[in-house]
Amino acid sequence: MKEKISCLLILLLFLMNAVNGQNVETKAGSTNALFSQMFAAVDTFSSRFPQEKIFIHTDRSSYVRGDTLWFKSYLFSRNLGYSKLSGLMYLELIASNNALVKRISVPVFLGVSWGQISLSDGLTEGTYTLRAYTNWMQNQAEESFFRKRIYVSDPAPEHWIVNQSNFIDIVNGKKVIKCSIQFRTASDQPLGYKTIQWKLTDGKKIIVKDEYETVKNNLEITVPLNNDDVVRTLYLEAEEKGGAKQKLNFPLIIKQEKDIDLQFMPESGHLVAGLPCNVAFKAVSFSGKGVDVEGIITNNKNEQVTSFRSSHKGMGVFSLSPIVGESYTASIKLPGGTIKTYPLPVAKVSGTVLQVLNSPRTDSLRVYVLYSESLVNNQTYKLVGFADGQVAYAANFVANKQRIGGKVDKRLFPSGIAHFTLFNEKNEPLNERITFIDHHQQLNIKVLSEKSAVSLRDSVPVDIHVKYPNGKPVQGSFSFVVTDDSQVRSDSLENNILSQVHLGSDLKGYIEDPGWYFNGTEEAESARDLLMLTHGWIGYKWSQILNPASQPVYAAEPDFRVTGKVSNILNKPVANSKLLLLASGKYHFIKDTLTNSAGRFTFRNLPPVDTVSFFVQARTARGKSFNVGLEVDEFKPAAVSKHIEPLVIPWYVNADSISINLVKNREKIAAEQLKGQGGRMLKDVFVTAKRVIKTSKNLNGAGEADQILDEKDALAAGSLNVLQYMEKYVKGFNLRLKDTDKYYYLNEKRVRFVVDGVELNRLYMPSEPPILYDYSNFIENALSNVMTTDLLGVEVMYNQRYASKYSSQFLETKEMMDINNNFAFIEITTRSGNGISIRRTPGVTVYRPLPITWPKEFYQPKYPANSSKLPDYRTTVCWVPNIITDSSGKAKVHFYTTDKKGTYTILLQGADLMGMVGCKVLKIKVGE
């Protein structure tokens, strides 16, 4: 009721301030009737489908393979308070080919979380996208997820660096691409004598390939082109023939005059004949970034109608009044003098145009609705301003002349994107226009250091003071990072918490230098409106709001829990069924619950575990198992879709001083470590490694077992199930009768099986009443479905050296105390990693949730207490993710500098988690 009254007050406030009042319906009763249905629909939809936003602060954007990515996450509701919906968040690393390489889940408390992602497990050099979302956010557009590109390099001393120069030339009257490539070591030394196999591709097919000997100065490549060809990007794959097998794959950017993409976007969606319209445009170069252009617009009679010029990052706007029967073409002159033309959208014969004039430093918007002459028929049109999931403004216009306008007070809207829609009498949306409202309400952050001069390995205290714009202190959550500028590119224009929550989470497409739009200048504020005109809005469509789905497809996850459904053989829900949950792995516990009337069950208040497998069984009220269908709800991750973003050039191509510094610093550290150990640096050392089973959960570590059968062994064995395979290839493995059951043995020791980290005995529930050979049947049913083609490896832990850790992890106390119970363990690793297919047994299932990642502490040395003489060349000098300002808005933090002189960048950003965010960048000089 309160929200409906608020909407009506907003409407009345507009009516009192309206311009051209004779064109606005002023009867509150009739106005309320016109909008009540829409207000109710918006209220219902907003309460049923509230939106969430995420910002991830990482310690930097470029890493070396083996580094740790440190992050702080902020989860907001639509009004930038903390979200109360989700208590779990998912972070993913996605490779440039759209392959998912890593996924973790982190707990969220009061909207914040922090943690780390290891960049060592199987990652190769290249560009990755860090993506973050909650399960609930999958009800929104995938474009609303947080996305950030990072680069993972491998700048080892033996890594090659590449200098390239590529251009278009004319040879014998024909166009060719000329490429000149030079290979050197990362320390900028000649490679020596090597033979390099190379091939040039367009990303799919091979254009040309050959070999090249490094004694020659450069690798020279000439590729013929048809005169009409437009080449955006070619890729060179280069691999050392023999030797250390160095291999690179990098793009060759070929600049061409024709390679400019120019798009035109009429304000509010359409050009309409006879009506003036603002037309926005955006020009993008071969690299995917904005490029400045200028040109003219001509009609189909080749008469110039107007001219245009971009004002920021290839974006601009001009006015055009289309004439019935005319078509329009844009012409631009390329740097070489070539004229390139682009068609404009075709104008509609009849329609409406919605114009919004938003001067950054004024307190109101000017909104105009333009009608074709045929539509001036006294029909009523509705104009609705939508923001943060609520109607912030509404009015109805009677179409009694071609141009109707009015002022709209900006105070009706919160800071951020406002979405205007014009409706006809049938509530059909005709035009849409988004604009940015800025009340300059970001947090005022001061970061000060007491020291005027900072030396090497020095302790630097930092005072933090955060206030609201009105001067009141802020209690909030903030993240703090210090990086060395000589090793980390510090870009104040990149995405920050302000640009993400106000732009990135609400606009489609790639935004170049998003941080620039919040630098406080009038130029930046004006350019924001160009973003509104050239980028689509991420949000629900009015068809979804007016006709919403009854239930969201994806449920909110307020915390870590196990849920599911029990049904009978007729697929009907079973009420009051007893459920037993047994956790195995690092932590062991048992819980039980009952299903509700719909057959649903929920296990709540589970302890905070990072790796666990759950055995779930449905039982009768008397605790007996029975034949039912049991389903556990599993997390279904979001699909990975392709996003068009500018190409990232690898660090080793035309490498700059920052990239080279990373290599040199690592060389110095390695040399000093060897020196401190009394050793010397050696080259061409080869070590024969133990067999290692990929993704194995071996408690002793990789390759630590009495016998190891790997993937090649399994494939060579032919089509066998894993029991048959072990009987044939595991020494001493056999099945024996003991007491009233059968057990598998390794010589004299009874075998316990562990599949993908889950010990099978933890999943065994004896039948009631007892059944002959019940245990051996359970083992056989569990393992007979695992085929050799499903195996990555089998590891045998027989001797005490390897079996002791398994005994302490999986044996009950009385088993460990009984001297007659002598056990061996066999770790089985499957290709899927999902364990055994026990879920085929009615009333029983195994559920392996995505492990929760808990935060670790970022290490920084303490000088002079730390007397290490090893060189300190940290790239991330300090990372503090959980700063909480006190009631006076203050906090303190300190960090220790490294052995590197130069400039460090301090970045602090965060939120009060009640509606306001802010960030601050500070530079300090060290050792000067």
Side-chain angles (χ1 to χ4, degrees):
M1 183 64 182
K2 182 178 179 180
E3 290 182 349
K4 291 182 179 179
I5 293 173
S6 176
C7 289
L8 184 57
L9 289 174
I10 290 170
L11 176 60
L12 292 175
L13 178 60
F14 169 74
L15 295 176
M16 288 187 289
N17 290 283
V19 177
N20 298 327
Q22 68 272 20
N23 298 310
V24 180
E25 176 61 63
T26 57
K27 294 182 180 179
S30 60
T31 302
N32 189 40
L34 286 168
F35 289 106
S36 59
Q37 179 184 358
M38 187 171 294
F39 287 168
V42 170
D43 289 342
T44 301
F45 187 86
S46 296
S47 60
R48 190 179 295 174
F49 296 93
Q51 290 184 289
E52 291 182 323
K53 297 182 178 183
I54 289 177
F55 174 68
I56 305 293
H57 180 190
T58 63
D59 62 317
R60 55 189 196 270
S61 298
S62 59
Y63 299 86
V64 174
R65 191 165 59 87
D67 279 350
T68 297
L69 182 155
W70 301 92
F71 68 86
K72 166 76 172 286
S73 66
Y74 298 84
L75 178 61
F76 298 104
S77 63
R78 65 192 177 203
N79 60 1
L80 299 188
Y82 73 87
S83 175
K84 300 177 182 179
L85 280 174
S86 299
L88 282 178
M89 182 185 298
Y90 301 94
L91 287 88
E92 300 169 339
L93 276 184
I94 301 168
S96 56
N97 62 357
N98 268 17
L100 177 74
V101 296
K102 182 165 291 196
R103 177 184 291 121
I104 66 170
S105 67
V106 295
V108 180
F109 301 99
L110 298 177
V112 299
S113 183
W114 55 91
Q116 63 288 321
I117 299 175
S118 171
L119 301 178
S120 58
D121 300 338
L123 265 66
T124 57
E125 188 168 60
T127 304
Y128 295 85
T129 296
L130 175 65
R131 184 173 77 162
Y133 59 96
T134 66
N135 195 51
W136 177 260
M137 287 178 70
Q138 294 196 68
N139 295 303
Q140 304 167 198
E142 190 267 344
E143 292 149 311
S144 68
F145 296 178
F146 176 84
R147 292 175 59 89
K148 177 177 181 175
R149 288 199 294 178
I150 66 169
Y151 192 85
V152 178
S153 60
D154 187 12
E158 66 274 11
H159 200 299
W160 298 345
I161 61 173
V162 175
N163 293 319
Q164 61 166 301
S165 175
N166 316 304
F167 59 94
I168 302 294
D169 199 3
I170 304 296
V171 177
N172 298 326
K174 293 186 177 180
K175 292 176 61 176
V176 296
I177 300 174
K178 284 193 172 181
C179 304
S180 180
I181 313 295
Q182 182 187 57
F183 298 93
R184 296 178 71 82
T185 68
S187 55
D188 203 26
Q189 299 297 316
L191 288 187
Y193 182 82
K194 295 181 184 296
T195 300
I196 297 176
Q197 296 174 314
W198 62 268
K199 56 185 176 182
L200 193 65
T201 75
D202 61 1
K204 295 180 181 179
K205 62 181 180 180
I206 298 174
I207 299 173
V208 61
K209 64 179 181 179
D210 205 343
E211 290 187 355
Y212 157 71
E213 295 179 346
T214 55
V215 291
K216 300 176 182 178
N217 290 330
N218 291 341
L219 169 59
E220 305 288 346
I221 306 173
T222 299
V223 181
L225 285 175
N226 294 325
N227 287 333
D228 294 331
D229 282 350
V230 176
V231 179
R232 289 185 178 273
T233 308
L234 296 178
Y235 294 87
L236 186 74
E237 295 183 23
E239 181 176 6
E240 181 180 355
K241 187 177 181 180
K245 288 292 183 183
Q246 179 76 246
K247 186 175 182 179
L248 303 179
N249 186 351
F250 55 91
L252 304 178
I253 305 300
I254 314 298
K255 296 184 180 181
Q256 288 201 108
E257 296 174 354
K258 291 184 179 180
D259 207 3
I260 292 179
D261 180 25
L262 181 59
Q263 296 183 3
F264 295 91
M265 291 143 280
E267 184 178 18
S268 77
H270 309 284
L271 287 173
V272 179
L275 299 180
C277 180
N278 293 320
V279 181
F281 62 89
K282 184 172 184 178
V284 179
S285 72
F286 65 93
S287 66
K289 295 187 176 182
V291 58
D292 288 331
V293 294
E294 61 179 302
I296 61 172
I297 305 295
T298 57
N299 60 19
N300 49 357
K301 301 173 186 176
N302 204 29
E303 299 169 334
Q304 180 175 335
V305 177
T306 189
S307 61
F308 61 92
R309 175 183 289 182
S310 59
S311 57
H312 181 71
K313 298 294 183 183
M315 297 181 293
V317 64
F318 61 90
S319 182
L320 180 67
S321 297
I323 297 175
V324 176
E326 287 192 356
S327 58
Y328 299 90
T329 301
S331 301
I332 62 173
K333 181 179 288 188
L334 300 173
T338 304
I339 301 296
K340 188 172 183 181
T341 61
Y342 304 82
L344 266 65
V346 177
K348 297 173 64 176
V349 176
S350 178
T352 55
V353 171
L354 174 62
Q355 292 183 344
V356 176
L357 303 181
N358 184 0
S359 297
R361 302 302 168 95
T362 60
D363 58 5
S364 62
L365 306 169
R366 284 194 172 272
V367 182
Y368 298 95
V369 179
L370 285 70
Y371 301 92
S372 292
E373 188 173 353
S374 61
L375 297 179
V376 182
N377 51 14
N378 291 319
Q379 288 191 2
T380 300
Y381 291 79
K382 305 178 185 69
L383 182 63
V384 176
F386 190 75
D388 282 352
Q390 297 293 329
V391 174
Y393 161 85
N396 60 295
F397 292 82
V398 176
N400 56 12
K401 62 180 183 178
Q402 280 193 268
R403 186 174 186 266
I404 299 172
K407 279 186 177 181
V408 178
D409 195 329
K410 291 183 181 179
R411 291 174 299 175
L412 299 175
F413 298 87
S415 286
I417 293 178
H419 182 242
F420 285 89
T421 307
L422 181 69
F423 294 88
N424 61 15
E425 288 186 327
K426 297 178 182 179
N427 278 345
E428 296 171 336
L430 303 177
N431 303 93
E432 293 182 304
R433 167 76 152 94
I434 58 174
T435 191
F436 194 88
I437 307 295
D438 191 354
H439 296 302
H440 303 283
Q441 290 181 330
Q442 65 191 62
L443 299 177
N444 181 5
I445 300 175
K446 290 185 178 180
V447 179
L448 303 171
S449 175
E450 299 173 1
K451 292 192 173 183
S452 56
V454 180
S455 57
L456 301 181
R457 298 199 177 194
D458 195 1
S459 175
V460 182
V462 176
D463 290 316
I464 297 167
H465 197 182
V466 187
K467 295 180 180 180
Y468 289 111
N470 61 9
K472 292 184 178 180
V474 173
Q475 282 190 285
S477 179
F478 299 86
S479 40
F480 175 91
V481 65
V482 183
T483 53
D484 174 11
D485 286 359
S486 69
Q487 303 180 80
V488 179
R489 292 177 180 84
S490 177
D491 187 357
S492 62
L493 306 182
E494 71 176 11
N495 199 23
N496 57 43
I497 195 168
L498 280 166
S499 57
Q500 174 61 25
V501 299
H502 290 313
L503 293 180
S505 60
D506 290 324
L507 291 179
K508 296 179 180 179
Y510 172 74
I511 302 173
E512 190 176 349
D513 295 340
W516 178 84
Y517 294 94
F518 293 89
N519 64 17
T521 65
E522 191 167 355
E523 180 188 5
E525 293 172 354
S526 297
R528 278 198 300 239
D529 203 50
L530 293 176
L531 281 178
M532 303 299 110
L533 290 166
T534 56
H535 287 67
W537 180 63
I538 298 174
Y540 295 106
K541 298 178 180 178
W542 279 105
S543 58
Q544 295 173 293
I545 295 175
L546 299 176
N547 300 286
S550 57
Q551 293 294 331
V553 177
Y554 298 92
E557 297 176 315
D559 51 31
F560 178 66
R561 57 182 62 180
V562 178
T563 63
K565 182 181 180 180
V566 177
S567 56
N568 60 23
I569 57 175
L570 299 177
N571 204 29
K572 300 291 184 181
V574 177
N576 298 316
S577 173
K578 185 175 181 180
L579 274 297
L580 181 69
L581 179 143
L582 172 67
S584 65
K586 186 176 180 181
Y587 299 89
H588 307 298
F589 55 87
I590 298 176
K591 282 183 171 287
D592 60 5
T593 190
L594 296 174
T595 56
N596 61 17
S597 58
R600 300 285 306 173
F601 65 86
T602 302
F603 290 98
R604 293 185 178 88
N605 302 319
L606 300 175
V609 296
D610 50 6
T611 303
V612 70
S613 296
F614 293 112
F615 170 78
V616 186
Q617 185 177 51
R619 296 197 163 212
T620 65
R622 296 183 179 181
K624 295 183 178 181
S625 59
F626 67 116
N627 190 4
V628 294
L630 175 60
E631 297 178 7
V632 175
D633 301 326
E634 296 193 30
F635 168 68
K636 296 179 180 178
V640 179
S641 58
K642 185 70 175 177
H643 287 252
I644 299 175
E645 295 175 312
L647 195 66
V648 175
I649 305 300
W651 73 273
Y652 53 82
V653 176
N654 296 341
D656 58 17
S657 60
I658 291 179
S659 300
I660 298 300
N661 274 337
L662 280 173
V663 180
K664 291 181 177 179
N665 290 339
R666 287 180 177 261
E667 281 190 276
K668 288 179 182 178
I669 293 172
E672 289 292 336
Q673 286 175 335
L674 283 172
K675 183 179 178 181
Q677 297 166 4
R680 58 192 179 91
M681 299 188 73
L682 301 176
K683 296 181 179 179
D684 300 324
V685 176
F686 299 92
V687 179
T688 303
K690 297 181 180 180
R691 283 189 173 189
V692 175
I693 306 302
K694 186 180 179 181
T695 70
S696 169
K697 301 295 192 300
N698 190 331
L699 298 179
N700 300 296
E704 299 295 329
D706 290 297
Q707 184 183 356
I708 298 177
L709 299 173
D710 61 17
E711 184 180 9
K712 291 182 180 178
D713 296 324
L715 294 177
S719 181
L720 301 172
N721 68 43
V722 70
L723 286 173
Q724 296 169 331
Y725 175 61
M726 291 188 292
E727 286 173 348
K728 190 172 182 179
Y729 294 99
V730 174
K731 302 170 184 177
F733 185 80
N734 61 86
L735 181 65
R736 300 182 196 170
L737 180 64
K738 172 87 173 169
D739 299 328
T740 59
D741 214 321
K742 297 177 182 178
Y743 300 93
Y744 285 94
Y745 279 81
L746 268 175
N747 298 323
E748 77 281 1
K749 295 184 179 182
R750 187 185 296 182
V751 174
R752 297 280 278 266
F753 299 94
V754 184
V755 183
D756 293 331
V758 178
E759 204 269 320
L760 295 192
N761 272 38
R762 298 286 180 184
L763 310 181
Y764 172 61
M765 293 289 180
S767 299
E768 296 181 11
I771 298 174
L772 186 64
Y773 303 146
D774 185 46
Y775 175 77
S776 59
N777 287 336
F778 164 76
I779 295 295
E780 184 176 350
N781 289 335
L783 295 180
S784 61
N785 291 318
V786 180
M787 306 302 292
T788 49
T789 52
D790 302 324
L791 290 177
L792 288 181
V794 171
E795 296 162 284
V796 178
M797 273 59 70
Y798 181 82
N799 291 307
Q800 189 66 15
R801 172 186 174 188
Y802 296 122
S804 60
K805 285 190 176 181
Y806 281 81
S807 296
S808 61
Q809 178 79 11
F810 296 120
L811 295 184
E812 302 292 341
T813 303
K814 68 176 184 177
E815 291 177 318
M816 297 181 66
M817 297 293 292
D818 188 347
I819 60 173
N820 295 319
N821 283 331
N822 206 359
F823 292 94
F825 295 85
I826 296 182
E827 178 86 49
I828 299 169
T829 302
T830 69
R831 195 177 302 277
S832 68
N834 294 327
I836 58 175
S837 301
I838 197 169
R839 60 182 68 242
R840 297 178 182 176
T841 305
V844 177
T845 190
V846 174
Y847 171 52
R848 301 192 70 185
L850 184 66
I852 291 178
T853 298
W854 297 93
K856 297 179 181 179
E857 184 177 356
F858 177 86
Y859 170 78
Q860 61 171 332
K862 297 180 179 180
Y863 299 119
N866 186 332
S867 58
S868 172
K869 296 182 179 179
L870 291 177
D872 182 358
Y873 297 130
R874 284 168 288 145
T875 49
T876 298
V877 179
C878 179
W879 168 254
V880 185
N882 56 336
I883 296 175
I884 306 295
T885 51
D886 60 21
S887 58
S888 61
K890 296 181 179 180
K892 281 184 175 290
V893 68
H894 78 277
F895 64 92
Y896 290 89
T897 59
T898 70
D899 291 335
K900 290 283 290 181
K901 294 181 180 181
T903 304
Y904 292 3
T905 295
I906 297 175
L907 172 61
L908 179 79
Q909 48 190 336
D912 67 349
L913 299 173
M914 294 187 296
M916 294 185 67
V917 298
C919 66
K920 183 69 174 180
V921 179
L922 178 70
K923 299 282 187 179
I924 64 168
K925 290 186 177 181
V926 176
E928 296 183 1

